């Protein structure tokens, strides 16, 4: 599985961005759990949001609940992260990742496949 993230950029506090992650997984994309991770300078890479392959359940880190929305379009082999009400502390490199196929735990941190990161910078 190859992943390509896009959509990062520079935005002011309170602004919005939409990240996309295009996957080259053929018709098996729908069997992969998908997640967005982020890593700020000097910090560990953290799971921000995830969506399960089986029933579309979602997970969000407490820091982004109510502001970020993860979604997927299996017909387009694409995952999205809509980020609203952005804060300076959201500044990080955001990575999309896939895990599976057919794994049950979509919130584990050891995802198998990773895309390149996309930089998100929120200015104060």
């Amino acid at each position: 599985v190859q992943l390509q993230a896009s959509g990062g950029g520079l935005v002011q506090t309170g602004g919005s961005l939409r990240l996309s992650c295009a996957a080259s997984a053929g018709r098996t994309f729908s069997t992969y759990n998908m997640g967005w991770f982020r890593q700020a300078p000097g910090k560990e890479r953290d799971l921000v949001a995830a969506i399960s392959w089986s029933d579309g359940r979602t997970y969000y880190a407490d820091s982004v609940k109510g502001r970020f929305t993860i979604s997927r379009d299996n017909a387009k082999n694409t995952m999205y992260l809509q980020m609203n009400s952005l804060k300076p502390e959201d500044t990080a490199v955001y990575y999309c990742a896939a895990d599976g196929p057919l794994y049950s735990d979509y919130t584990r941190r050891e995802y198998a496949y990773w895309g390149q990161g996309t930089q998100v910078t929120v200015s104060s």
Side-chain angles (χ1 to χ4, degrees), residues 26-38:
R27 288 186 287 181
T28 64
F29 175 77
S30 62
T31 65
Y32 285 83
N33 295 321
M34 300 296 296
W36 287 99
F37 292 73
R38 69 184 181 188

Side-chain angles (χ1 to χ4, degrees), residues 6-110:
S6 61
L10 173 64
V11 64
Q12 292 184 333
T13 296
S16 298
L17 282 174
R18 189 193 195 202
L19 305 184
S20 298
C21 176
S24 61
R27 288 186 287 181
T28 64
F29 175 77
S30 62
T31 65
Y32 285 83
N33 295 321
M34 300 296 296
W36 287 99
F37 292 73
R38 69 184 181 188
Q39 187 169 22
K43 295 187 177 181
E44 294 185 351
R45 187 160 58 185
D46 291 327
L47 178 62
V48 175
I51 185 166
S52 73
W53 72 270
S54 58
D55 56 7
R57 284 176 298 163
T58 56
Y59 161 87
Y60 296 97
D62 288 343
S63 58
V64 306
K65 282 181 181 176
R67 301 187 297 122
F68 290 11
T69 303
I70 189 172
S71 61
R72 65 190 297 164
D73 185 337
N74 290 337
K76 295 182 178 180
N77 283 12
T78 303
M79 171 182 65
Y80 305 96
L81 185 68
Q82 178 66 44
M83 306 186 293
N84 298 329
S85 303
L86 283 163
K87 305 174 181 179
E89 50 264 44
D90 294 318
T91 295
V93 177
Y94 284 71
Y95 298 89
C96 64
D99 205 28
L102 305 177
Y103 288 179
S104 59
D105 183 3
Y106 66 106
T107 63
R108 74 187 199 131
R109 272 52 175 173
E110 302 79 18

